[in-house]
Amino acid sequence: MNHSIEIALVALAVMVVGVIYYVITKEGEVSSQIRSIAKAVDDLHRELFAMDKRLKQELEIITSLQESVPREQNSLHAELGREVNELSVPILESLNHIEDSFGGYKEKTENRLRYLEERIRNLSLPTSISGMDDEKVISRYNQGTDIDTIAKELRLSKAEVEFVLKINQLR
């Protein structure tokens, strides 16, 4: 009887470690994808800023030319300004579309993470994981002790301390 309880506890511990590993792995993948998307959006912002700057410079040139050019040529400059504006509109629309897509992806990712965190919280966990005393971790954290110190004092890994704090919604 006692042996089967030990086997069940070991199996439960293996499952919890597996879930933790899966969450950490997925969180790393999602973070990597978010960083790459954020970099692409940042590059587009820089390019748009540069185009906007060039557009302003061209408009300043056009304005100065309008003052010095005879009235017959004003229509040509107005057409040039319209063409420049027409060229920038699709770029702005594309950038807005990318930002919307990024926002949707970010929202989906956050929802998935919340779902996984909720699922982990709902798991029937023993009061003490791997023999550690959750109350000691929480008590020391509430006293202002940093995570590294708690891990050293209780001979736990930093990840175990963070996990206890996260499960108890302290971090």
Side-chain angles (χ1 to χ4, degrees):
M1 179 81 174
N2 204 8
H3 182 64
S4 63
I5 292 174
E6 289 175 1
I7 291 173
L9 286 176
V10 168
L12 184 59
V14 168
M15 282 179 37
V16 168
V17 168
V19 168
I20 291 170
Y21 175 77
Y22 177 78
V23 168
I24 290 171
T25 303
K26 285 299 176 185
E27 187 177 52
E29 291 174 8
V30 168
S31 295
S32 173
Q33 290 171 350
I34 287 174
R35 278 192 300 272
S36 66
I37 290 171
K39 184 183 181 310
V41 169
D42 188 46
D43 291 344
L44 287 172
H45 276 288
R46 285 189 189 119
E47 187 174 318
L48 182 62
F49 177 77
M51 291 178 80
D52 186 47
K53 187 175 179 180
R54 280 182 270 161
L55 178 61
K56 287 179 182 177
Q57 290 172 346
E58 289 177 10
L59 289 175
E60 288 176 8
I61 292 170
I62 290 171
T63 303
S64 67
L65 287 175
Q66 284 177 341
E67 295 171 5
S68 63
V69 175
R71 290 197 178 266
E72 297 87 34
Q73 293 182 359
N74 283 343
S75 64
L76 179 62
H77 290 290
E79 181 64 28
L80 179 61
R82 278 193 297 277
E83 287 180 20
V84 168
N85 284 336
E86 288 174 7
L87 290 173
S88 64
V89 167
I91 293 170
L92 288 171
E93 289 174 352
S94 295
L95 183 58
N96 287 334
H97 176 71
I98 289 171
E99 286 177 329
D100 291 343
S101 297
F102 178 69
Y105 181 76
K106 183 179 178 185
E107 185 177 325
K108 285 180 185 177
T109 302
E110 288 172 353
N111 287 340
R112 287 178 184 161
L113 286 174
R114 273 190 288 241
Y115 172 76
L116 287 173
E117 287 173 352
E118 187 63 32
R119 293 284 304 232
I120 289 172
R121 273 189 225 105
N122 290 337
L123 285 176
S124 176
L125 297 174
T127 58
S128 179
I129 298 173
S130 301
M132 76 177 157
D133 190 354
D134 294 357
E135 293 175 6
K136 288 181 182 178
V137 171
I138 294 167
S139 171
R140 285 187 170 90
Y141 183 78
N142 288 336
Q143 292 171 359
T145 307
D146 65 68
I147 293 173
D148 290 328
T149 305
I150 294 171
K152 285 178 186 175
E153 288 177 0
L154 299 178
R155 296 183 183 182
L156 301 171
S157 71
K158 185 178 174 183
E160 287 175 311
V161 173
E162 289 175 342
F163 179 72
V164 169
L165 295 174
K166 190 164 193 157
I167 291 297
N168 289 285
Q169 299 178 344
L170 294 174
R171 187 147 195 250

